[in-house]
Amino acid sequence: MTHHRAGLARRGFLLATATALALTAGCAADTGGTADKGNAAGTGSPKRGGTLRAAFAGGGANETLDPHAANLFVDAARAKALYDKLADFGADLAPVPRLAERWEPNETLDTWKITLRKASFHDGRPVTAEDVLYSYRRIADPKGTFRAKASLEPIDLAASRALDPNTVEFRLKRPYAEFPNVLAAFGAHIVPKDTTSFDRPVGSGPFTFASFTPGKSLVVKRNDAYWEGAPHLDQVEFVVATEESARTSALLGGQVQYAHELSPATARTHEGKGKIEVVRLPGSSMQGFVMKTDRPPFDDKRIRQAFFLIADRKELVDGALSGAGETGNDLFGKGYRYYASDLPQRTQDLDRARALLKEAGAENLKVTLDTAPAATGFVEAAGIFREQAAKAGVTVDVKVGNKDTYWKDILDSGTFASYRSGAMPIESHVSQRLLTGSTTNATKWRQKDFDDLYQQAQSTRDEKERAALYERMQRRLHDEGGFLIWGFADWIVATAPSVRGVSGKAPANTLDWARFDKLWLA
């Protein structure tokens, strides 16, 4: 049945793109050449012209080009082509200025002045402070359900104002040293003031709108007036191929030149054979388990510490991720800004794990591990950990749930569950998941002194002092937190050998991920 659905999806995809392929056949990329080594780094001199077709998993006939409604990777990639944010995240998840030329806080870190760069929308209008305030107020509308709403919560938008056409003053509800993270939040794009329709979207991004068929295709054309310089490509077509097999087949067959989100097994099958180039984006997805710290047995920190020591991280990365990743150290954000890289790498120690369990009176512990095929490697990792735990005398009952309701199901129920997270700043991970009032606190970590450290960090102007506070928080989590973080998965994209300029350093959802304005066809 699965194979049948994949076949239907593949045929549907090819049919959906046949017309567009025929119309632009004269611009099709030559996929028969030999790729330069270092394709991911973008070697060689950029060449102007051509059409690149990029295949993504889609959202069906209800897709929209409203950038504030973005949820899927294809939504984010399309929004990046058409619009800009005030900032975006670099490879280390530190904010990088985009439409904001610079930002300056006051002494108490509760008012931030944003100076806009000179940039224009596709219809020629300049991007102004009023456009920024309109966009943020639209996102934050209580009646709306836009994803970036939670990120904008610290802003008092009623008190914020335009000081002049190029300057926004954001008043905050409390001191927030990491406020630039808000400017880079997923979906926080700037649209022209009073925009209500996105049928023919007008943004300030590197490409302009040409045509859109929801669930099938978006075509965008080069914006020669783009503030950062015109793209190399004449146009990009985003085509939908929801099944991975359809994306792979379209890439191998030359119908597309870029395929997003391939599995480690697919990459391993085709890598190095000359037909496609595989690019691994490191640090794109944290992989682990959550232990709920507010209920037995994980309300005893000794049991949490024992579970840290049960995990053989390399075996989990090799088995659940087919080796496409690196080991974790029970902390989020490896390689990101503020990551506590000086902490010793934790390794499996079954003797110490047994001793901790005995000390806690839990020598014959039995726990249920909730998992689901909701993400790559979840069910496999659960099975591997079950075998590892058995060596320490712990019985793990793996319970496979519904992948469609999994994240809602595990937020408050159960005691032990599979977990993953995409890239975000460490500060955002803490604020969203590890404070007493955090709305997605899956580990139920509620510690007032930890909350106080976070608030102290947000009131600290000096970056070195702030980094020291983040390290203190991470040492605490490493010692007794509820996240057992065993690995970080690579995100895998693949291209035709003719494609140049794909970044091999940018985790998914960061600035240089899906930067089609920086790609060219050799």
Side-chain angles (χ1 to χ4, degrees):
M1 188 66 181
T2 302
H3 177 76
H4 177 65
R5 285 199 301 270
L8 288 175
R10 188 180 301 111
R11 289 193 295 275
F13 160 70
L14 295 173
L15 179 63
T17 58
T19 302
L21 291 172
L23 288 173
T24 54
C27 296
D30 172 18
T31 59
T34 301
D36 293 335
K37 289 185 178 180
N39 172 44
T43 57
S45 299
K47 178 183 173 184
R48 188 180 174 101
T51 294
L52 181 137
R53 295 175 189 81
F56 285 76
N62 293 323
E63 288 177 347
T64 174
L65 296 181
D66 181 345
H68 302 155
N71 277 306
L72 304 175
F73 283 116
V74 68
D75 298 331
R78 288 166 172 166
K80 180 176 289 189
L82 292 166
Y83 303 92
D84 281 307
K85 297 187 287 187
L86 293 179
D88 211 336
F89 294 119
D92 65 350
L93 275 292
V96 177
R98 300 300 292 157
L99 284 177
E101 191 170 64
R102 62 182 181 275
W103 43 74
E104 305 162 83
N106 65 353
E107 285 298 318
T108 52
L109 300 174
D110 58 2
T111 299
W112 286 72
K113 186 168 74 173
I114 311 299
T115 302
L116 301 178
R117 70 174 67 253
K118 291 184 179 179
S120 298
F121 290 112
H122 299 151
D123 59 6
R125 287 180 288 171
V127 178
T128 70
E130 292 294 346
D131 299 312
V132 170
L133 289 169
Y134 171 80
S135 299
Y136 277 29
R137 286 167 179 158
R138 180 176 187 263
I139 292 168
D141 186 342
K143 298 175 186 175
T145 57
F146 298 130
R147 180 166 164 176
K149 184 195 299 188
S151 299
L152 302 190
E153 183 276 331
I155 307 175
D156 183 344
L157 283 166
S160 299
R161 59 192 179 129
L163 298 181
D164 60 48
N166 299 316
T167 313
V168 185
E169 181 183 80
F170 283 115
R171 300 282 183 89
L172 308 186
K173 300 171 186 175
R174 53 191 171 273
Y176 193 5
E178 305 293 340
F179 176 66
N181 288 342
V182 172
L183 311 180
F186 185 97
H189 293 85
I190 306 306
V191 302
K193 184 181 177 182
D194 298 328
T195 299
T196 56
S197 172
F198 294 89
D199 291 340
R200 297 190 64 83
V202 174
S204 63
F207 294 94
T208 63
F209 173 81
S211 65
F212 179 50
T213 303
K216 293 183 180 178
S217 168
L218 166 71
V219 177
V220 296
K221 296 183 177 181
R222 178 174 54 238
N223 175 12
D224 286 315
Y226 188 50
W227 63 265
E228 201 177 24
H232 306 302
L233 296 164
D234 290 332
Q235 63 180 22
V236 177
E237 181 177 7
F238 296 84
V239 292
V240 170
T242 297
E243 296 285 348
E244 188 221 16
S245 57
R247 295 192 296 278
T248 305
S249 294
L251 181 62
L252 290 168
Q255 284 90 13
V256 303
Q257 292 79 45
Y258 180 105
H260 189 256
E261 194 178 353
L262 269 60
S263 72
T266 298
R268 198 168 57 247
T269 298
H270 298 288
E271 193 167 19
K273 296 183 178 177
K275 289 190 174 182
I276 66 174
E277 292 290 318
V278 172
V279 183
R280 291 181 167 83
L281 312 181
S284 292
S285 176
M286 173 269 269
Q287 303 281 329
F289 303 112
V290 290
M291 302 176 283
K292 297 201 183 298
T293 63
D294 66 338
R295 65 199 67 172
F298 297 112
D299 54 352
D300 188 323
K301 73 176 182 180
R302 294 169 297 187
I303 294 178
R304 301 198 296 273
Q305 290 167 341
F307 272 55
F308 289 148
L309 295 169
I310 284 171
D312 180 334
R313 289 159 171 74
K314 186 177 187 305
E315 185 179 25
L316 284 158
V317 170
D318 289 346
L321 303 178
S322 298
E326 56 183 321
T327 56
N329 196 28
D330 302 320
L331 292 174
F332 179 83
K334 190 172 186 177
Y336 299 173
R337 184 189 192 195
Y338 299 130
Y339 182 74
S341 57
D342 291 339
L343 287 174
Q345 174 64 51
R346 184 169 276 139
T347 57
Q348 187 183 59
D349 187 341
L350 296 176
D351 289 340
R352 178 61 182 151
R354 289 190 201 95
L356 284 164
L357 292 166
K358 184 175 182 180
E359 187 181 317
E363 289 176 274
N364 298 306
L365 181 64
K366 294 183 180 181
V367 296
T368 297
L369 170 52
D370 289 302
T371 192
T376 300
F378 265 22
V379 176
E380 293 84 353
I384 293 167
F385 188 81
R386 175 177 57 199
E387 299 303 316
Q388 293 175 357
K391 297 174 184 176
V394 175
T395 301
V396 173
D397 176 26
V398 175
K399 180 182 174 185
V400 180
N402 183 338
K403 68 181 179 66
D404 296 323
T405 62
Y406 179 75
W407 296 106
K408 181 174 178 288
D409 294 341
I410 65 148
L411 183 58
D412 296 310
S413 63
T415 58
F416 189 43
S418 298
Y419 195 87
R420 84 165 181 179
S421 168
M424 64 174 64
I426 287 172
E427 176 273 325
S428 300
H429 170 71
V430 171
S431 65
Q432 293 179 21
R433 297 167 179 158
L434 291 165
L435 302 181
T436 299
S438 296
T439 54
T440 53
N441 190 341
T443 63
K444 306 306 174 188
W445 175 261
R446 300 186 180 103
Q447 307 288 336
K448 185 179 185 306
D449 58 343
F450 187 89
D451 295 351
D452 292 343
L453 277 175
Y454 174 80
Q455 296 302 335
Q456 185 182 344
Q458 296 317 310
S459 300
T460 300
R461 285 183 65 90
D462 185 87
E463 188 170 341
K464 286 186 177 179
E465 293 178 18
R466 199 158 65 243
L469 290 166
Y470 282 118
E471 183 172 358
R472 284 177 62 187
M473 285 187 272
Q474 290 176 87
R475 284 185 179 277
R476 177 83 177 277
L477 294 167
H478 187 260
D479 181 53
E480 57 176 287
F483 278 111
L484 194 172
I485 299 173
W486 53 260
F488 291 88
D490 298 338
W491 201 257
I492 300 174
V493 300
T495 72
S498 58
V499 176
R500 299 288 187 275
V502 180
S503 172
K505 297 179 181 178
N509 281 342
T510 58
L511 173 61
D512 287 329
W513 163 82
R515 283 294 302 276
F516 293 109
D517 58 314
K518 298 298 184 185
L519 305 193
W520 69 94
L521 301 173

